[in-house]
Amino acid sequence: MSAPVFLPPTSYEYVTVRRVQGAAATEASDVLAAEEPLEIRVGFGPAGQREHRTLSITMRTPGHDFELAAGFLFTEGIIRSRQEVQGLIYCPDVAKEEERENVVRAELAPSALPDLPRLERHFYTSSSCGVCGKTSIEAVHAAACPVLPPAGPLVAASVIHQLPERQRQAQELFEQTGGLHAAALFSPAGELLLLREDVGRHNALDKVIGAALLQELLPLHNTVLLVSGRASFELVQKAAVAGIPVLAAVGAPSSLAVSAATNFGMTLCGFVRQNRYNVYSHPWRIVQADDV
């Protein structure tokens, strides 16, 4: 079985499995999505007085690591613009060989003034983090979340139906492994603009936002985001920080996700599959084709 040449070689692994069908069992080769830890570090301060901190360790699928780090820094409020990032590198001074290309350092501009208490706090990593919902939403507002546009973009109802298939067709690694989340950015007409895959749904979205940040495309006011899993508060928060006005999810939203989307002025759709979906907040952006 030859390796798919269109995928980064670190994004997948081959394993031997025992494949059982009915009473028959055979040895076969299978492809798995790779999962490895990524440590995100940040360097900041004036020349001659630079400090370095570890911000986060996340389990991710290798590939687009600089985008992941940049998106994480932006959606967590550590940086506010592309200009605050001087460079992104794999740390050369790692202690173990297996850490090579698993530790990324973002060097911030000397003029960047990261919030030190924010650097030291525990980042939200799951829906069971125990943070009060009201406090969480207020914290995002306090982080200068971009105001979502009060008018438009308008998206045809039929376009929302088409997004899952268009996303799936572009998921190269999922086609090989079946084990990845995806975040895809579309135009209001349904044109695929950007897609990233990862074992973590938050990482997939951070990669998309990081790519947009590094290309200086933010805020993403004229886009529609589709995520392959459920819509959690964290995904709504990250989308809001990037200025994305329409978030669609293949799965269900959480109650806090709906509350946050309502507060942020975001249109949130859930259960987008099998030619149906629910609109949970700000449905005025979803219109009939003749009204677009």
Side-chain angles (χ1 to χ4, degrees), residues 154-175:
L154 301 180
V155 183
S158 59
V159 167
I160 302 296
H161 288 307
Q162 298 166 9
L163 299 184
E165 180 60 25
R166 292 181 180 178
Q167 180 191 66
R168 182 67 176 271
Q169 289 177 354
Q171 284 187 255
E172 296 177 340
L173 192 51
F174 182 88
E175 286 300 314

Side-chain angles (χ1 to χ4, degrees), residues 61 163-175 177-186 192 194-209 224-231 235 247-251:
T61 300
L163 299 184
E165 180 60 25
R166 292 181 180 178
Q167 180 191 66
R168 182 67 176 271
Q169 289 177 354
Q171 284 187 255
E172 296 177 340
L173 192 51
F174 182 88
E175 286 300 314
T177 66
L180 287 172
H181 286 286
L185 203 64
F186 294 88
L192 178 63
L194 191 61
L195 181 143
R196 294 290 183 266
E197 297 177 274
D198 200 277
V199 289
R201 60 180 181 271
H202 306 112
N203 292 340
L205 181 51
D206 275 338
K207 287 179 178 180
V208 165
I209 294 174
V224 178
L225 174 69
L226 177 69
V227 294
S228 59
R230 65 185 182 87
L235 295 185
L247 169 58
V250 173

Side-chain angles (χ1 to χ4, degrees), residues 98-116:
E98 58 264 29
E99 294 176 345
R100 193 170 303 279
E101 296 195 358
N102 281 331
V103 182
V104 168
R105 185 170 75 231
E107 291 293 347
L108 305 188
S111 58
L113 299 174
D115 183 347
L116 292 182

Side-chain angles (χ1 to χ4, degrees), residues 197-269:
E197 297 177 274
D198 200 277
V199 289
R201 60 180 181 271
H202 306 112
N203 292 340
L205 181 51
D206 275 338
K207 287 179 178 180
V208 165
I209 294 174
L213 172 77
L214 295 176
Q215 295 174 47
E216 299 189 55
L217 300 176
L218 299 179
L220 297 168
H221 282 166
N222 199 41
T223 62
V224 178
L225 174 69
L226 177 69
V227 294
S228 59
R230 65 185 182 87
S232 64
F233 163 76
E234 294 92 343
L235 295 185
V236 170
Q237 173 253 318
K238 289 176 182 293
V241 170
I244 298 171
V246 182
L247 169 58
V250 173
S254 68
S255 61
L256 186 55
V258 173
S259 178
T262 301
N263 277 276
F264 297 150
M266 179 186 296
T267 300
L268 176 61
C269 303

